[in-house]
Amino acid sequence: MDIINCVIGLCIAGVTIQAFCLLARRSKFIPRELLPPGPKPYPLVGNLFELGDKPHVSLTKLSQRYGPIISLQLGQLITVVVSSPTLAKEILQTHDQVFCNRNPTDVVRACKYNEYSLGWLPVQARWRKLRTICNLQLFAPKVLDANYSNRRVKVQKFIDDVNESMRAGEAIDVGGAAFTTSLNLLSQTIFSTDLAHPSSETARAFQKTFWGISEEMGKPNVADYFPLLTKLDPQGIRRRATYYFQKILGILDRMIHQRLELRRGHNYITTNDMLDTLLNISEEKMEDMDMRETQILFLDLLVAGTETSSATLEWAMAELLHNPKILLKAQAELEQVIGKGKLVEESDVARLPYLQAILKETFRLHPTVPLLVPRTAGANVEIGGYIVPKGARVLINAWAIGKDPNTWENPNLFMPERFLGLDNQIDFTGKNCELIPFGGGRRMCPGLPLAIRMLHLMLGSLLNCFDWKLENGVVPETMNMAEKFGVTLHMAQPLRAVPRNRRKSITGC
């Protein structure tokens, strides 16, 4: 109702004249018949009411009606939505240079986030510098290999905490436990310290704040569709996002300044974590570190790394509990390859094709960023036989692509087997646009290598160390598998499951 009330307010505010004038000017440049098809827009509001509270689902239904590329008039903004792997490839690969930039939404202007964030910066000098740091200093294979022991310690702590719940006969919040593990792994990697402890409220506070950022970024914002309203922030989205950003940035600021003080001491021993790495780079170049740039880089890593990893693990566990035969098959593979009750090591993953297939199938059915991050057309360009006009916002509906019946057999079923065999080598590194949970092209998520390592370790270890049942007598057939939309796609009802001792043998099940 938020957006409906604001739209009604627009009429009272007199935005109608401005909107119609702008639409009239645009129609002179790109005739309507050259634009991708779509529903007829209403006066002033355009197709805003078509979005609903789950835009990824609404846009999928529109694509089923109008085709794999559609255009919507959202207030004063033309939005083009692509929902097929073929057209996604044109955006992400063929015309990547045209679509590589992003027009910041109003919410990301909070705390000037868009001026420093790797996800929103234009492809210019600052973006290239940050991307190079991520690729060479933070997520390079040799760096990740060197930090493996840190990941193993965190996974062991994760399993130990689950073990305590098992002894007490208590259910665990799967997403919350995965969030704490991911947060501490990243904070150890960045600062050599844990930011959260399962027994304290800090993990829940961070999770609430990170979800708040994701939720505000995912909300349809009338200020994006009617620029005249930007300063008014009619839905309060930027105000709430500012509150969340300031909470995290304040913590990061204190940690960075504490490290600077320590480094001034004569007996300081470098930790080789991300913060020391960036400080060393600054000293070698004999220049002061840009503090806000560093804070927001760390904020990006923490929010993106924890939200996406914990949501993916929760969806994977939910699908396995919803499909017990697949769960047993995964456990049988783990028992046969590495032995029951052992932690999964990174060196084991290559020998666990079914575990890999489970994660791929989870990414297909439940991409954590269902509409990816919006791009902007840098010029008029032909896609799929239609003109995408310069300045249009372009969305790639990864959720719809993962459920495209022209690509996937029985697309609504959870079937990891579809990724097994030599005839199906689809991966999620951006090369195959049938599966793009991390995006593609030069704007692909830089943290993919770390996320994939952690997800295999956490999921495999949970399955190999415990048996599982649902809480309070819930059975697979009655599980709530509904989604909650934000920038990150979460389960509407958090998954709670009870860990149990593994049976003696499941080989052959």
Side-chain angles (χ1 to χ4, degrees):
M1 293 299 295
D2 239 5
I3 194 167
I4 295 175
N5 292 334
C6 286
V7 169
I8 293 172
L10 294 179
C11 299
I12 300 172
V15 184
T16 310
I17 297 175
Q18 185 198 26
F20 278 124
C21 289
L22 185 59
L23 292 177
R25 288 198 300 271
R26 281 185 173 170
S27 64
K28 295 178 182 178
F29 294 112
I30 304 292
R32 178 66 197 176
E33 60 269 19
L34 296 182
L35 295 175
K40 183 178 179 180
Y42 291 102
L44 176 63
V45 298
N47 305 112
L48 278 176
F49 295 130
E50 306 276 1
L51 295 179
D53 61 349
K54 294 181 179 178
H56 60 301
V57 178
S58 303
L59 294 173
T60 299
K61 292 178 179 178
L62 288 173
S63 295
Q64 291 168 349
R65 180 179 176 185
Y66 292 100
I69 180 169
I70 64 173
S71 63
L72 303 171
Q73 186 71 51
L74 303 179
Q76 299 171 11
L77 180 68
I78 293 177
T79 297
V80 173
V81 185
V82 165
S83 301
S84 80
T86 302
L87 297 181
K89 183 176 181 179
E90 289 196 45
I91 302 291
L92 298 175
Q93 297 179 19
T94 308
H95 299 289
D96 182 37
Q97 189 169 358
V98 177
F99 295 103
C100 64
N101 286 320
R102 290 161 175 162
N103 187 20
T105 56
D106 185 57
V107 65
V108 301
R109 293 187 174 93
C111 298
K112 297 184 178 180
Y113 175 72
N114 62 294
E115 296 180 17
Y116 297 91
S117 170
L118 185 62
W120 291 96
L121 281 169
V123 178
Q124 295 174 358
R126 173 172 276 173
W127 179 87
R128 292 189 181 94
K129 181 184 76 171
L130 290 174
R131 186 76 187 198
T132 299
I133 288 172
C134 286
N135 290 342
L136 299 182
Q137 304 291 339
L138 306 184
F139 301 117
K142 64 178 182 180
V143 177
L144 294 178
D145 289 345
N147 291 326
Y148 168 62
S149 60
N150 186 28
R151 290 190 291 280
R152 194 183 190 287
V153 167
K154 292 306 167 191
V155 173
Q156 181 65 66
K157 180 65 168 63
F158 182 34
I159 297 302
D160 290 345
D161 292 337
V162 175
N163 214 22
E164 287 185 18
S165 296
M166 183 187 71
R167 292 194 187 98
E170 299 173 346
I172 68 165
D173 176 344
V174 174
F179 179 91
T180 300
T181 300
S182 299
L183 177 60
N184 284 338
L185 169 79
L186 284 166
S187 62
Q188 279 284 345
T189 304
I190 296 170
F191 301 114
S192 298
T193 189
D194 287 351
L195 281 178
H197 299 279
S199 58
S200 72
E201 289 295 319
T202 54
R204 282 183 284 274
F206 272 107
Q207 189 172 21
K208 183 178 180 180
T209 302
F210 289 0
W211 169 247
I213 292 172
S214 172
E215 191 173 31
E216 298 304 330
M217 285 187 171
K219 288 179 180 176
N221 188 346
V222 294
D224 293 326
Y225 311 130
F226 299 94
L228 185 68
L229 297 175
T230 299
K231 292 184 179 180
L232 299 178
D233 187 24
Q235 293 162 266
I237 290 176
R238 185 169 10 96
R239 172 179 53 79
R240 290 190 295 273
T242 298
Y243 167 77
Y244 292 128
F245 279 139
Q246 286 177 339
K247 282 187 69 174
I248 302 299
L249 291 173
I251 294 170
L252 298 178
D253 182 68
R254 289 193 295 273
M255 299 191 77
I256 292 171
H257 279 91
Q258 286 173 4
R259 179 66 58 84
L260 288 170
E261 286 296 320
L262 289 173
R263 286 172 65 97
R264 292 189 183 100
H266 296 296
N267 299 323
Y268 179 73
I269 301 174
T270 185
T271 61
N272 292 320
D273 57 20
M274 287 185 180
L275 179 52
D276 264 346
T277 297
L278 294 181
L279 290 168
N280 292 338
I281 292 172
S282 297
E283 289 178 0
E284 290 169 7
K285 293 184 177 180
M286 300 182 68
E287 59 185 32
D288 291 333
M289 174 184 284
D290 187 319
M291 296 302 293
R292 180 47 61 97
E293 182 180 87
T294 304
Q295 290 169 2
I296 290 183
L297 174 61
F298 290 160
L299 185 151
D300 279 344
L301 296 176
L302 289 170
V303 173
T306 53
E307 278 286 293
T308 56
S309 296
S310 58
T312 298
L313 186 75
E314 185 176 32
W315 279 117
M317 285 293 292
E319 287 289 359
L320 291 170
L321 288 167
H322 193 51
N323 298 275
K325 290 183 180 179
I326 297 176
L327 172 57
L328 290 176
K329 188 173 179 179
Q331 289 180 317
E333 179 188 65
L334 287 159
E335 181 176 337
Q336 182 178 4
V337 173
I338 66 174
K340 183 178 63 177
K342 296 181 180 179
L343 291 184
V344 173
E345 307 286 351
E346 289 184 0
S347 58
D348 297 326
V349 173
R351 298 182 294 138
L352 297 168
Y354 200 64
L355 178 66
Q356 296 178 53
I358 286 171
L359 274 176
K360 287 183 180 180
E361 183 70 339
T362 303
F363 286 137
R364 182 189 70 83
L365 269 180
H366 307 287
T368 50
V369 185
L371 298 174
L372 301 186
V373 181
R375 295 168 178 246
T376 300
N380 292 344
V381 60
E382 183 177 333
I383 301 291
Y386 300 98
I387 297 298
V388 177
K390 180 179 180 179
R393 180 174 295 170
V394 179
L395 297 175
I396 297 176
N397 193 341
W399 191 86
I401 290 172
K403 294 174 177 60
D404 183 359
N406 296 317
T407 303
W408 308 101
E409 182 181 356
N410 297 319
N412 294 318
L413 296 182
F414 187 78
M415 295 170 48
E417 288 78 8
R418 72 176 80 244
F419 289 104
L420 299 176
L422 296 176
D423 58 337
N424 197 336
Q425 295 298 310
I426 293 175
D427 66 20
F428 39 72
T429 61
K431 298 175 183 177
N432 305 113
C433 289
E434 296 88 347
L435 190 66
I436 46 173
F438 295 91
R442 70 189 74 189
R443 301 307 296 243
M444 189 172 181
C445 174
L448 180 153
L450 177 59
I452 293 306
R453 293 186 185 217
M454 273 302 292
L455 282 169
H456 283 111
L457 295 185
M458 288 195 292
L459 179 61
S461 297
L462 280 181
L463 299 180
N464 200 40
C465 294
F466 305 97
D467 282 329
W468 296 89
K469 70 174 183 177
L470 294 162
E471 189 183 34
N472 295 330
V474 177
V475 296
E477 294 77 15
T478 61
M479 284 181 66
N480 184 348
M481 300 292 285
E483 301 168 333
K484 181 179 180 181
F485 182 81
V487 169
T488 306
L489 197 63
H490 285 262
M491 296 191 72
Q493 180 177 316
L495 176 66
R496 293 186 62 81
V498 181
R500 301 183 296 176
N501 274 318
R502 287 290 308 278
R503 296 184 296 277
K504 290 184 178 181
S505 177
I506 59 171
T507 303
C509 291

